[in-house]
Amino acid sequence: MSESTKSNHESFLEYKGKYRGILGWILSTDHKRIGLLYLYTMLVFFSVAAILGLLMKIQLIAPGHTIMGPATYNAMFTMHGIIMIFIIVVPGLPAVFGNFFLPLMIGAKDVAFPKLNLASWWIYVIGILIVLTSQFMGDGPPDTGWTFYAPYSFQTPANIVPALVGAFVLGFSSILTGINFVVTIHRLRAPGMKWLKMPLFPWTLYATAWIQILATPVIGITLLLTVMERTLGVGIFDPALGGDPILYQHLFWIYSHPAVYIMILPGMGVISEILPVFSRKRIYGYKAIVLSSLAIAFVGYFVWGHHMFTSGMSGRALFAFSFLTFLVAIPSAIKVFNWVATMYKGSLIFQTPFFWAVSFVFVFMIGGFSGLTLGSLATNVHLHDTHFVVAHFHFIVFGGTGFSFLAALHYWFPKMFGRMFDASWANMGWLIFFAGFLALYLPMFYLGIMGMPRRYYDYLPEFHGANILSSLGAILMIGGALIIIVNLVRSSRYGEKTNDKNPWGGKTLEWQADTPPTLENWEDIPEVTEKPYEYK
Amino acid sequence: MSQEKPHISSYRSHVFVLAALIVLTGISVAVTTLELGRLDTLVAMLIAGAKAGIVLVWFMHLKFDNKLYTIFTVLVIVVFLLVLYVTFFDYSYR
Ligand code: HEM
Ligand SMILES: [Cu+2]
């Protein structure tokens, strides 16, 4: 304590604690440093997985063997999926911006369990390392896809076990972050911050944290059962031993559908922060956004069967799951309505975070509508396992979670680093990225409807035209991503220095803290009297 | 934040929990000798559920804690039961 009062005016970036240099980071329990540790780790692995994606698109630029054969292609989409899902978008916004900004936004000095928080990052890194060993040991890299479907996942000679164990370990990190956030939000809100005065990003983190706690154990058990099936032949999923492979799909999606809401809810929270600030207007329908977040979290537990419409479930279950899937789209649509209504007649400010936020709304809607197309039984039979599904979830995971991540990064960048990014490079990066994104994924809707299946290294000649467009889009998008990343990394070191506490004119608490924040964020814990987003 | 006054459970209640768990374990072994058909799983789950309940309420102090914890625990169990119900909904109509 005494040490920290002495350094009250030093920013968290410069503060010197017990350890120096890199140890001062990887052993720090400061929520802000931990948030940045996650950010840097993700940046590295996002780059790896993005390169894998680019290589796959180059393979698909023409039919036949272009730069790789089928086995390599299978290994690539598997690793691409495992990294992007389990290492990037599931921890994603909570681990980076939740850690950094949750305490700041609710007026706390740190999360409830700082040491547990550091442990989560270490467990995360250990999980990553275990996943990576799958590439180099045994009989070749995994080739099952990120879904590890039985029976193939216990029949393939490839090296599945480390990938399963690694994903299992990553799950622990996620659960611990969830527990930390639930307790933090219950116990550490600043005086006067009633539940309904809490900003919306913390609200979505709260809903997300409950999914992390409740759904993640299911995937943990499922992955372990698959390990046991491979190593001991326990016969849970193996029909030859009396098991049921469809049970695997049930268990996998009982987690993995709620997990898609782990990915998207915090992103929705970020958009709900940014739009009022850049419209200079109170958020439209605060309570509706809160309630729809909780509703999404709840109903989202019961729709997993829409991934299994063609797997041989009973007819009645098909009907029930399709109905529930349509229900869950309603709260998502409520949010879109609220965002648009927030901008309506506002004084819009056209700056980088705003561009990311509106483009989020655009791509999220396309993703959501295509979800409904897939959620109705008859069309699903035609579209399941085609490129249409690939387009759907990239629109919603990359376009939703990815865009909101970049929106958050630009929005909070000055607060995090005490420097400003170069706005013209950032805007150009956004434009190129956005154009590339659309060129990459829109043709996949068409390809899917025409019948091109997913997860094949080759295709029929009639699909060539749309694939060329899609692959060129990928190259353009990676170009945009490079501009964005180089600009942000450069700006974090050489950008124009700023101590402005509130560069965008935000109304939430984090904009009252120093820029960059000090070790314990506040000299005096702020008192909350107004609701968030009170623009007059 | 208000602090709840701590509750210290007696050895007697710990012994009671232990005894109940042992008895219930005995029962769940014993019922395997009965031929209950489809009810097998249900009975096993009910006994296991009773054991979990005893651990939660007495050993883990739910009875003596803030009501909020009870509410959350019940909500979580409801979600879990619904997930089970939906899964078995598929199996029962195949
Ligand atoms: C409007 C709400 C949504 C609806 C109605 C919906 C519906 C669906 C359906 C029916 C499928 C299965 C398609 C098939 O394989 O035949 C699917 C796949 C998928 N969805 Fe969604 N979805 C929605 C939102 C989301 C969100 C918010 C995310 C993630 C942030 C997401 C991520 C995914 C993923 C990753 C897959 C593919 C999984 C795989 O097979 O690899 N979806 N969606
Ligand atoms: Cu789903």
Side-chain angles (χ1 to χ4, degrees):
Chain A
M1 267 301 169
S2 61
E3 223 183 351
S4 62
T5 36
K6 166 178 100 221
S7 58
N8 242 354
H9 293 287
E10 250 176 319
S11 93
F12 80 100
L13 292 166
E14 284 144 20
Y15 167 76
K16 298 214 172 34
K18 243 195 304 190
Y19 304 99
R20 293 293 148 98
I22 189 163
L23 286 184
W25 283 80
I26 61 176
L27 296 176
S28 166
T29 55
D30 178 8
H31 65 100
K32 301 179 285 298
R33 288 197 172 185
I34 295 175
L36 290 186
L37 285 179
Y38 274 110
L39 178 64
Y40 300 141
T41 323
M42 281 177 199
L43 184 63
V44 170
F45 287 97
F46 174 79
S47 310
V48 173
I51 290 170
L52 293 179
L54 183 64
L55 291 175
M56 288 190 288
K57 287 316 297 184
I58 293 175
Q59 160 60 26
L60 290 181
I61 205 163
H65 185 302
T66 326
I67 58 167
M68 66 181 85
T72 315
Y73 188 83
N74 292 356
M76 285 212 171
F77 72 66
T78 302
M79 206 50 194
H80 172 80
I82 293 176
I83 295 181
M84 286 299 194
I85 298 281
F86 293 112
I87 300 179
I88 308 296
V89 288
V90 167
L93 287 137
V96 177
F97 299 108
N99 264 324
F100 200 111
F101 286 102
L102 172 62
L104 284 162
M105 293 179 90
I106 63 172
K109 289 185 171 173
D110 206 314
V111 292
F113 308 119
K115 285 185 184 159
L116 193 66
N117 202 16
L118 178 62
S120 310
W121 181 75
W122 275 100
I123 294 173
Y124 172 71
V125 171
I126 293 168
I128 294 176
L129 292 178
I130 299 176
V131 168
L132 289 185
T133 59
S134 68
Q135 300 300 299
F136 310 110
M137 301 180 347
D139 298 317
D143 57 353
T144 58
W146 74 281
T147 46
F148 302 114
Y149 266 18
Y152 184 61
S153 59
F154 56 82
Q155 288 169 344
T156 169
N159 193 23
I160 308 292
V161 172
L164 294 170
V165 175
F168 175 79
V169 173
L170 286 168
F172 268 93
S173 165
S174 187
I175 295 173
L176 295 180
T177 303
I179 292 176
N180 222 334
F181 285 3
V182 167
V183 180
T184 305
I185 291 172
H186 272 274
R187 307 294 278 189
L188 298 184
R189 277 170 290 134
M193 184 175 278
K194 302 259 168 48
W195 280 97
L196 288 180
K197 285 192 181 146
M198 191 162 73
L200 288 161
F201 181 55
W203 259 115
T204 51
L205 287 174
Y206 183 71
T208 307
W210 275 109
I211 312 180
Q212 289 176 302
I213 297 170
L214 290 187
T216 316
V218 182
I219 189 88
I221 293 165
T222 312
L223 297 176
L224 282 194
L225 285 174
T226 313
V227 172
M228 285 162 73
E229 192 78 61
R230 268 186 86 83
T231 51
L232 307 171
V234 289
I236 303 253
F237 305 130
D238 185 353
L241 301 171
D244 177 16
I246 298 180
L247 179 64
Y248 176 88
Q249 298 188 17
H250 271 303
L251 291 174
F252 183 84
W253 291 111
I254 286 173
Y255 165 76
S256 294
H257 186 82
V260 307
Y261 293 108
I262 297 180
M263 305 167 199
I264 196 71
L265 274 171
M268 294 168 155
V270 165
I271 302 307
S272 310
E273 296 294 336
I274 293 177
L275 286 179
V277 175
F278 289 83
S279 310
R280 290 290 184 268
K281 217 170 132 243
R282 183 178 338 135
I283 186 93
Y284 181 90
Y286 170 90
K287 276 191 198 156
I289 296 186
V290 170
L291 285 178
S292 59
S293 299
L294 296 175
I296 286 180
F298 181 74
V299 182
Y301 279 109
F302 306 107
V303 301
W304 75 83
H306 63 218
H307 297 271
M308 308 161 54
F309 283 155
T310 57
S311 305
M313 275 194 299
S314 71
R316 282 183 210 218
L318 293 179
F319 176 79
F321 277 126
S322 179
F323 177 74
L324 289 165
T325 300
F326 275 75
L327 276 192
V328 83
I330 296 173
S332 312
I334 290 178
K335 284 180 192 289
V336 172
F337 178 77
N338 283 306
W339 293 324
V340 176
T342 301
M343 288 185 277
Y344 179 65
K345 289 193 177 166
S347 337
L348 302 185
I349 299 168
F350 296 108
Q351 279 172 317
T352 324
F354 180 78
F355 293 141
W356 282 111
V358 275
S359 49
F360 167 96
V361 177
F362 178 76
V363 289
F364 178 75
M365 276 182 55
I366 297 179
F369 281 132
S370 61
L372 288 173
T373 317
L374 290 165
S376 63
L377 293 172
T379 43
N380 184 274
V381 175
H382 182 71
L383 295 173
H384 176 67
D385 263 349
T386 67
H387 264 66
F388 192 92
V389 177
V390 182
H392 158 68
F393 68 74
H394 280 92
F395 260 85
I396 231 159
V397 182
F398 203 3
T401 314
F403 279 34
S404 58
F405 193 98
L406 286 163
L409 197 53
H410 287 92
Y411 178 54
W412 281 316
F413 188 91
K415 181 63 72 184
M416 295 164 82
F417 296 101
R419 291 177 187 272
M420 205 53 194
F421 57 81
D422 183 317
S424 45
W425 280 105
N427 291 343
M428 187 162 55
W430 166 76
L431 194 65
I432 294 175
F433 188 95
F434 189 35
F437 178 92
L438 295 178
L440 165 56
Y441 295 115
L442 277 176
M444 291 190 187
F445 282 125
Y446 167 78
L447 286 168
I449 293 170
M450 299 313 285
M452 177 173 163
R454 65 191 283 207
R455 294 182 171 172
Y456 283 83
Y457 89 115
D458 192 8
Y459 51 81
L460 298 175
E462 59 256 42
F463 300 134
H464 194 181
N467 268 301
I468 296 179
L469 179 58
S470 174
S471 294
L472 293 180
I475 295 168
L476 189 63
M477 191 187 75
I478 294 285
L482 273 179
I483 295 178
I484 294 163
I485 292 173
V486 170
N487 180 39
L488 289 182
V489 171
R490 250 188 72 87
S491 301
S492 73
R493 306 199 57 177
Y494 311 111
E496 191 190 325
K497 273 203 161 166
T498 171
N499 286 320
D500 187 354
K501 285 187 177 181
N502 195 355
W504 312 115
K507 293 281 184 183
T508 36
L509 278 185
E510 79 273 29
W511 301 113
Q512 293 178 24
D514 284 345
T515 293
T518 53
L519 178 67
E520 293 194 329
N521 302 343
W522 322 94
E523 248 165 276
D524 304 298
I525 298 280
E527 185 120 12
V528 181
T529 49
E530 276 196 333
K531 289 187 166 177
Y533 325 113
E534 285 299 319
Y535 291 97
K536 296 287 153 24
Chain B
M1 290 279 156
S2 64
Q3 283 292 319
E4 299 89 32
K5 57 174 183 298
H7 171 272
I8 302 183
S9 33
S10 60
Y11 278 107
R12 271 185 55 164
S13 87
H14 283 172
V15 171
F16 163 77
V17 169
L18 180 65
L21 291 180
I22 291 174
V23 171
L24 285 171
T25 307
I27 296 179
S28 56
V29 174
V31 291
T32 55
T33 56
L34 306 177
E35 289 292 336
L36 296 173
R38 288 186 70 155
L39 289 180
D40 259 352
T41 320
L42 185 66
V43 171
M45 292 293 271
L46 284 178
I47 298 175
K51 288 163 78 174
I54 292 172
V55 170
L56 278 171
V57 175
W58 282 283
F59 190 72
M60 296 179 80
H61 274 213
L62 221 43
K63 191 165 189 259
F64 316 104
D65 265 332
N66 194 324
K67 279 281 161 295
L68 186 69
Y69 299 135
T70 313
I71 295 172
F72 275 116
T73 312
V74 170
L75 278 178
V76 166
I77 292 172
V78 168
V79 171
F80 174 69
L81 289 177
L82 282 171
V83 166
L84 272 191
Y85 172 76
V86 175
T87 311
F88 283 98
F89 184 82
D90 168 28
Y91 281 90
S92 57
Y93 286 108
R94 268 210 221 139

